[in-house]
Each structure stands twice: as C-alpha cells, then as structure tokens.
Amino acid sequence: MRVLFERTRGLTSKPFHYCPGCTHGIIHRLVAEVLVELDVLEKTVGVCPVGCAVFAYEYFNCDMIEAAHGRAPAVATGVKRVLPDRVVFTYQGDGDLAAIGTAEIVHAAARGEKITTIFVNNAVYGMTGGQMAPTTLLGQKTTTTPFGRRAEEAGYPLRVAEMLATIEGAAYVARVAVNSPKNVIQAKRVIRRAFEVQLANLGFSLVEVLSTCPTNWGMNPPEALRWLEEKMIPVYPLGEFKVPREEREHA
Amino acid sequence: MVFDRERCKGCELCVTVCPRKILTLSPDLNSLGFHPAMITDASRCTGCCFCALMCPDVVITVLREEGEDAARADEG
C-alpha cells in the first residue's frame, strides 16, 4: 500500500473548530507541511492572533504563543531576538493584522525582523460576527455595511501585501489564494519560500492568503470559493510583490 | 481512500473538486450531526488527491494498492 496523501505530523490530532468549509484548515495544513518538509518543526515558535484562528496553538504541533489582539508581530520580534536560531512565524487574520495590528506589522516589516507572517485575508471579521474589516470589498454586505461598503462612508479596501512590499525591510511579500487545487499547490510553494527567506536571514517575509468565510459571507462553501475567485482576486491580485535582492538580480 | 468520518463537516469542497465526480455526502450522520463525505466508486479513483488538497479538516488519506499504477497505465 502506497500513501499518496496523509495528515501531516505538523498538525496535532485535535479537530479544527472552524465552520464547515472554512479554508483556515487548508492554510493550517500548508504551514504545518512546510515546517515538516523544511525539517524545522522542532525549532519553530508560532504566534497566534485574536480572531477565528485564536485556538491555532491547539492545532500546530510546535511551540506556540498567544498574543494580544494585533500584537503577534511584536511578540514574534521578542522571541526571534532572544532565540535567533528558532523559526518564528505569526498567523494572523485581516481583523488582527490589517486593523488593530497595522502599526505592529508595518514596523516589524520596517525593522526587517526575521520572522514570517501568514496573513489570512477573508475580507470580513469572522469571529465577532461578520462586521466590515479594512479589507472588505466595495459593495460587500456585512453586518455593519448592510447595504454594501460605500467608499464615501467607509473608505477603500486595504491592499496589505502591496503596501508592505514598499518597505525596505520586507524581503519577501506575496499573495496567494486557496480556492482551487492549483492555487493550493501554488500557495504551499510560496509559503515555503517565505520560510526559506527567514532561514536565510534575509529579512521579513509575509504571505497574504485569500481565504473564504462561508458563514459570514452567507454562502455555502463551494459558492464561497467561486466568490473568492470572481470578486476577491480582481481586487487582490495574486503574485509575488517583493523577492530578495539577489534573486531579483539573477532574474 | 480513507475518510475520517468523525472529523468531516460535510462542506462538500471535496465533492466539488473531484474530477471523476465519484465523491458524495453520505446519507448517514456522524456524531457531530454532519453528513460525512464518502467515495461511490473507488475503482475509478485516479489518486489525484484534489479532494485531500481542498479538505479544510484534513479528513482524507489517499492510499494506493501496489500494482494499481501498472493496471491504470494499461487502462490508458
């Protein structure tokens, strides 16, 4: 019997608490698989956010810390500076990273902290009940924008990957999506590169992952995948926005 | 293919992405009250693992019998 696919040992056996069809689980698996493949699981410290992924410390089979809302990059900075031989990552949602934690992520990138951030963008506040997030699309209905987000009133969606790519200290910044098997495979490749950038001490790395929230979007899970592809990707284009300097010179 | 029935939340993502359309939700319920995914015709599975790649709850293990690769190659 040959095993083509099995649950990675980078995840604990605890069942995820996420809603049916929520793609947080796919992203957890990709990060865990990359840590195992790079053979760094035993020396990895992860930092959890506040938001739906608040219990991620129960799911990753490595050392984990829980940070205050939005402060994961600050906690990760402390860990990495005290223990520079460890692999340190933060796992944050858009409410955590792009709203209350904007200052922390911008300055962690500006300082060129040698940490990796997995930024899960689902365009809505999940845990608190589907309120508008900074990443909510124009026209998107949420509980606080019941007629759709209007620019005159609530401004514009924040493109975090593009913004952080302008910062000198950020070595690797990319955006991926997990809406199809092809994009999931690509997402894993990009997450792996982000951790490789950290292992090579090149600076800050961030992967923005477009994710679904079927519950708060008011859709079934397959519909949510289609909505991500048709509505989110045009606003949040996929790709690598910044790669380490030596790679750019070779390209 | 092995499904960890008790972890499955019946989200149907695996059913949607299966290129052979051989996955469906079981009429039975698991102890969480979800209809877990199941395979209808294991002999038609190509082992592409799309279902496992898209499963948010890492429910699916894909296994292949020894010698099955050769049999499929003959099939073309």
Side-chain angles (χ1 to χ4, degrees), chain A residues 1-5 7 11 13-18 20-22 25-26 29 178-181 184-185 221-222 225, chain B residues 7 9-13 16-17 34 46-47 49-50 52-58 60-66 69:
Chain A
M1 199 67 96
R2 204 154 61 84
V3 178
L4 299 182
F5 190 100
R7 192 180 173 91
L11 292 172
S13 59
K14 182 141 182 125
F16 298 143
H17 71 281
Y18 302 112
C22 168
I26 300 180
R29 175 177 67 76
V178 288
N179 62 312
S180 66
V184 168
I185 292 167
L225 290 188
Chain B
R7 281 176 187 276
K9 297 174 187 157
C11 74
E12 279 193 306
L13 293 189
T16 328
V17 296
F34 294 115
T46 62
C49 297
F50 278 15
L53 284 172
M54 290 307 291
C55 176
D57 289 283
V58 206
I60 303 168
T61 306
V62 185
L63 302 163
R64 174 163 281 186
E65 301 274 3
E66 295 299 340
D69 295 322

